Amino acid sequence: MKVTERLKILLILGLMLTGGILFSLVILNDNQVRTNQELHQVIEIELKINELGTRLWLLFQYNDQDALIQTRYAHQDLKELLEREQFNNESKNSIIANLIRMNLNIGSLIELSQKDIESKFQPSITTPAGMLSARYNMTLQSMNEDLTKLQKLAMRDAELSQRKILYAVVIFLTLGSVFVLILTIMTLRTFKAHLNVLTLGIKDLEKGNLGSRLLVSDTDELSELAEQFNLMKHSLETTTIKKEQLQEEVDRQTKELQKQRADFQLLANYDSLTQLYSRSAFESQMKTAIARCGRTKLNGALLFIDLDRFKPINDNYGHSVGDIVLMHVSKMLTQAVRTSDIIARIGGDEFVIWLEPIENARQVTTVIEKLLLSLSTPFKYGDISVSVSASIGVSFYPLDAADLSGLLRVADDNMYKAKANPDTHYHFTPEANRRFSITKLA
């Protein structure tokens, strides 16, 4: 399998794992929303039952027509609510049906209370009114017990559902991660093996050994390179030339191979379009910079830059003009900062700049304003006049974070806040804004 195909598979697996996580989060959110809705329904029913209990207590205390009317209103409200509520579970709906039945029983007791009022019985435990009150209390107690069961059922169902989802996610992520790990290890081993073979072949060539051949046992890109290397040595071996010419050809071919290796290294460390640091090289440089700041107690600032309205340039003028714009932007960025600062292109139209050392926030805003001014100046490419703008998020070391991932996260978040605010093109964290007037950031 070719290396590019393996990398494509790793990319697909990464997207699948990310999609699986997002999908599980959506399901968990839906489950939580459904649980909250059910608990809200239970609370509504509980409130109506408590209101009915209060009205029944007033009816027993005052035994008059007004209290009876209010009790009937509360009973009717509870009846309408119970008839309206439905759950997606047979056990829960069974409890609702039982509550409806007990509410009907209370309705019958209310009619009996009407007769007690008309007969003007004095409330007592031995009187019909007292017996009705006892039956009211027993029925309300049963309704509250059923409500408790309903609430426990809702919470239990939510717990079981979440547990199933989490188990599925853990299994999915574990299997996916294991497969990614295995494929990554195999790819690294392939790289290492082929590079060792190429290194030995180059050393043999430097010694003038034209008879040896590189062992080609695969069909990937590096094996094709090894095959081309063998063809080159065969051509040198079978061509009759003078010793000086042969040595010159060997030197030329060796330098070409060394240049290819240097080009591979350059592609790994620098962006091929802008010649700025690549993301991996930037991360390596930043580890050293952060360690240096931590050791010397110096402050630093990370600028996350995203170009505005870059997509319309590609759409209207083509990607070739878009590439020219990116190279122009990289040139402007390089001219606006110190040679000791670190600049990298980490995405299509995303750049990062590390400023070190800095003593106050004003130094950072000065650099940002210089950047924004240079970027906003239109430049011509042929008959096309192009101007760009940028949104910049800033994070400070060690004020906002003490590691690269934290600094990138804060700066990225601030960049989106700057993009959302039409009045400014850059944004600090609230803590940095609060200390903006303070000379020292530390």
Side-chain angles (χ1 to χ4, degrees), residues 15 26 40-41 88 119 121 126 156 162 221 233 237 243 255 319 397:
L15 293 175
V26 171
H40 181 69
Q41 289 174 289
N88 59 352
S119 60
F121 284 132
T126 59
R156 186 201 64 183
Q162 291 177 357
E221 295 88 343
K233 293 185 71 175
E237 186 179 21
K243 183 178 180 181
K255 290 179 180 179
H319 289 281
Y397 172 91

Side-chain angles (χ1 to χ4, degrees), residues 298-301 338 355-361 363-364 396-397 441:
L298 294 175
N299 296 309
R338 300 166 295 192
L355 305 176
E356 174 206 344
I358 59 170
E359 296 183 355
N360 52 61
Q363 289 180 334
V364 179
F396 290 98
Y397 172 91
L441 282 172

